[in-house]
Amino acid sequence: MTTWLERQGSSHQTQLIATAILSGITVIGVVLGVQAVRRQVAVDELKASIPNVDEPHDANTVPNFATNSVQPLSSREDERAAALARRAQQGDYGEELIQEQLTRTASFLRPEGLSALRSSFVVIVGLGGVGSHCTAALARSGVSHIRIIDFDQVTLSSLNRNAVATLADVGTSKVTCVRRRLEAVTPWVHWECFNEIWGEDGADRLLASWNGDEGRKPDYVVDAIDNIDSKVTLLRYCYDHGIKVISSMGAGCKSDPTRVYVGDISGSIEDPLSRTTRRRLRMLGISEGIPVAYSIEKAGLGKAELLPLPEDEFRKGGVGELSVLPDFRARILPVLGTMPAVFGYVVANFVIMELSGYPHESGGRTGRDKLYESVLQGLQAVEVRLARVDGGDVQGFKIAVSKDDVAYLIEEVFRGKSVLSGLPTRLALIRWRPSRDGYRADVRWKGQKFSRLQLSDLVCMTKEEAAVHEKRVLVDGATPEDVYEAEVVGLVERRFEEEHAMDRYR
């Protein structure tokens, strides 16, 4: 071994390799050292650029994101508007001036309608494009007590859709910006600003009575949040506590203002945000009774889509870390600046009609209960036939499926269409595959006979398609792969996988 080492040590080739390795290590050390020096210089320069807090400077203090706070004013014009607003909110503002400013609204709603509107208390959660336009419309129309909730700041990229923000507001909290700008328009409006994120833990406080007055509960809540988890918790809280609420669905990737409607959440379609929100609410036992603003515009070739993250970001891993806050979207949602304004004004219009008592027909329910009852009866009949063919006793036979289950499967899982033809009429639910355990009733519980059928066994077809499927697959024993094209089988499997992923929210 010693001889081998001596021979290798005296080898010219070995010496060259060792020299190259040592040179490489030296170069790497020099590069890293230079980078460290550059970083330190950059840090020192940054620190040197920050003025001493005791010296005169133009920097504003960072806002407290967990308090009801207002940031420093940015100009003399803002100071004058704020001073006028303080006087007006204390009653030092002529009623005749307010009446003159609201004269067109009064002539439309009539004095009693405007009086109801002016005495109302509205909470807006989320001050992006939709929320800021909605807030501006409510304030200009006469709502006199407004609470606004948002954790975010005005950014340069949000100026294409924010109702009131200017370049001077970039970096300012959205609640401060909206209040400051609208005080210059409607100084008599009373504001409560919460510069924080909506969360279930703070729900009792954020939706509490006005200024601690037990008699001043919110008359209406506007949900203008674009995060699904927060949206669902807000809607559930309002539903459970009997607080009137309207929710705005997605304005992103939409371009047709004539396709925006207000209706019950049970009937909102062609809107991914609405579908996901509705599905999550159904899992919590809420299937209807919440009005929503949504678009029925369909996606199409050449239309805007959710922009994907660059491939290199996925390779890095930890994509969730790219968002500002946990569970908030990291990808870019294309937004035509006009569409959030349309949604905001549609929502504000609905709230004004509701609060003033003006007659309107928007916000109604879908009235598909008869369809769900018919589908449930049809499913019961199929299960009874299958149990009878299997030689089982069908006296008192039941299935563990409710009308709400039927509604959820049809509307949320299968999008209200047959998996075979895509037809939306004469729908039915039926097992997708033959049962391995047969179709006889489960009789483990004395006095009860019920099907072993699971919701995850069912697919949506038309009645005619279901009749053929029952004979060929469920009775004769063929597999779906034997009967249907791979495209249909793939669609069904994707729907099942999607529902399995959603099941964690139950």
Side-chain angles (χ1 to χ4, degrees):
M1 175 64 73
T2 304
T3 304
W4 183 85
L5 289 174
E6 291 175 349
R7 187 167 60 251
Q8 293 299 320
S10 61
S11 168
H12 180 65
Q13 183 179 5
T14 303
Q15 291 175 353
L16 288 175
I17 293 173
T19 302
I21 292 174
L22 290 173
S23 299
I25 293 173
T26 303
V27 170
I28 292 172
V30 170
V31 170
L32 291 177
V34 170
Q35 289 179 342
V37 170
R38 285 180 176 176
R39 280 197 299 270
Q40 187 59 48
V41 169
V43 170
D44 291 341
E45 289 178 350
L46 179 61
K47 289 181 177 180
S49 69
I50 301 174
N52 190 299
V53 293
D54 297 325
E55 299 174 0
H57 59 82
D58 298 325
N60 290 329
T61 56
V62 176
N64 185 341
F65 287 95
T67 62
N68 181 359
S69 59
V70 178
Q71 289 173 282
L73 300 173
S74 59
S75 70
R76 292 190 178 278
E77 183 180 346
D78 290 336
E79 292 175 1
R80 287 194 296 269
L84 176 60
R86 284 193 296 271
R87 288 173 50 196
Q89 291 160 18
Q90 293 169 3
D92 187 13
Y93 194 84
E95 178 63 23
E96 66 278 5
L97 295 178
I98 300 176
Q99 291 292 341
E100 175 63 23
Q101 188 166 340
L102 298 176
T103 183
R104 298 302 179 92
T105 306
S107 63
F108 188 93
L109 299 177
R110 299 185 179 180
E112 59 274 18
L114 180 59
S115 176
L117 193 63
R118 289 189 61 189
S119 64
S120 60
F121 164 29
V122 179
V123 179
I124 299 96
V125 186
L127 291 178
V130 175
S132 63
H133 280 278
C134 178
T135 304
L138 292 174
R140 291 174 182 269
S141 298
V143 176
S144 296
H145 292 81
I146 299 177
R147 179 182 295 160
I148 47 180
I149 304 168
D150 198 299
F151 72 95
D152 209 356
Q153 295 180 330
V154 176
T155 62
L156 196 60
S157 65
S158 68
L159 295 183
N160 80 317
R161 57 195 181 277
N162 192 289
V164 295
T166 69
L167 280 170
D169 296 309
V170 172
T172 302
S173 69
K174 289 181 178 178
V175 292
T176 297
C177 168
V178 168
R179 174 177 180 167
R180 181 183 299 169
R181 297 305 172 199
L182 291 178
E183 278 184 337
V185 180
T186 55
W188 64 85
V189 174
H190 296 265
W191 298 89
E192 284 186 347
C193 303
F194 288 88
N195 189 192
E196 59 184 285
I197 190 169
W198 162 267
E200 194 170 11
D201 294 342
D204 290 337
R205 174 176 52 84
L206 294 174
L207 295 185
S209 302
W210 179 267
N211 203 22
D213 181 359
E214 288 300 322
R216 292 292 302 164
K217 298 287 186 181
D219 295 298
Y220 237 97
V221 172
V222 173
D223 160 36
I225 306 172
D226 62 0
N227 170 260
I228 292 174
D229 288 341
S230 299
K231 182 177 287 287
V232 169
T233 60
L234 173 59
L235 296 177
R236 183 186 187 185
Y237 183 92
C238 291
Y239 186 91
D240 290 345
H241 290 79
I243 301 173
K244 291 183 177 181
V245 62
I246 179 172
S247 178
S248 173
M249 296 295 113
C253 299
K254 304 297 184 184
S255 60
D256 189 347
T258 68
R259 312 296 281 176
V260 180
Y261 294 89
V262 175
D264 190 81
I265 193 169
S266 60
S268 54
I269 55 177
E270 301 299 342
D271 185 332
L273 179 60
S274 176
R275 180 167 57 245
T276 305
T277 302
R278 187 179 61 236
R279 193 166 182 172
R280 292 272 298 274
L281 287 172
R282 282 189 187 274
M283 291 178 171
L284 299 173
I286 303 171
S287 59
E288 58 184 6
I290 297 177
V292 297
Y294 65 98
S295 171
I296 62 171
E297 179 182 354
K298 297 178 181 290
L301 185 64
K303 289 190 174 183
E305 299 177 320
L306 183 65
L307 300 181
L309 283 170
E311 186 63 30
D312 58 338
E313 295 294 348
F314 281 101
R315 286 197 296 267
K316 293 176 186 176
V319 172
E321 298 174 4
L322 300 177
S323 57
V324 178
L325 292 172
D327 300 323
F328 273 69
R329 55 178 166 79
R331 293 191 289 172
I332 298 173
L333 188 65
V335 180
L336 187 63
T338 54
M339 292 307 293
V342 171
F343 273 78
Y345 285 118
V346 166
V347 170
N349 188 81
F350 179 84
V351 173
I352 291 168
M353 297 298 100
E354 287 275 289
L355 294 176
S356 65
Y358 193 87
H360 67 100
E361 299 177 356
S362 54
R365 301 182 182 184
T366 59
R368 285 165 67 88
D369 282 355
K370 288 185 178 180
L371 167 65
Y372 306 145
E373 290 173 358
S374 173
V375 171
L376 183 58
Q377 292 171 2
L379 179 60
Q380 169 82 23
V382 169
E383 288 298 305
V384 167
R385 286 198 299 271
L386 292 173
R388 187 179 288 120
V389 168
D390 211 21
D393 181 4
V394 297
Q395 184 74 29
F397 188 85
K398 302 289 184 184
I399 59 174
V401 179
S402 69
K403 186 174 69 174
D404 286 341
D405 293 331
V406 170
Y408 176 79
L409 289 172
I410 290 178
E411 307 294 357
E412 314 308 335
V413 179
F414 297 107
R415 316 291 200 268
K417 299 176 182 179
S418 162
V419 294
L420 302 185
S421 61
L423 291 173
T425 56
R426 293 179 56 77
L427 297 177
L429 290 176
I430 192 167
R431 291 176 185 262
W432 177 237
R433 296 183 182 279
S435 173
R436 296 178 180 177
D437 301 322
Y439 303 108
R440 294 190 181 191
D442 189 329
V443 294
R444 287 175 296 173
W445 306 98
K446 186 176 181 180
Q448 293 185 153
K449 298 176 186 175
F450 57 92
S451 171
R452 294 183 175 88
L453 176 71
Q454 302 292 317
L455 295 183
S456 56
D457 297 330
L458 297 171
V459 295
C460 182
M461 302 180 181
T462 66
K463 291 181 179 180
E464 293 76 12
E465 294 162 351
V468 174
H469 181 84
E470 179 183 352
K471 183 179 186 307
R472 295 188 63 184
V473 176
L474 303 184
V475 175
D476 294 345
T479 66
E481 288 78 6
D482 295 333
V483 177
Y484 303 115
E485 296 178 355
E487 182 180 355
V488 171
V489 175
L491 172 62
V492 173
E493 293 304 320
R494 288 197 300 275
R495 293 287 184 261
F496 284 162
E497 289 172 3
E498 182 182 280
E499 173 55 20
H500 178 72
M502 292 294 294
D503 193 57
R504 65 192 178 98
Y505 296 111
R506 289 188 184 276

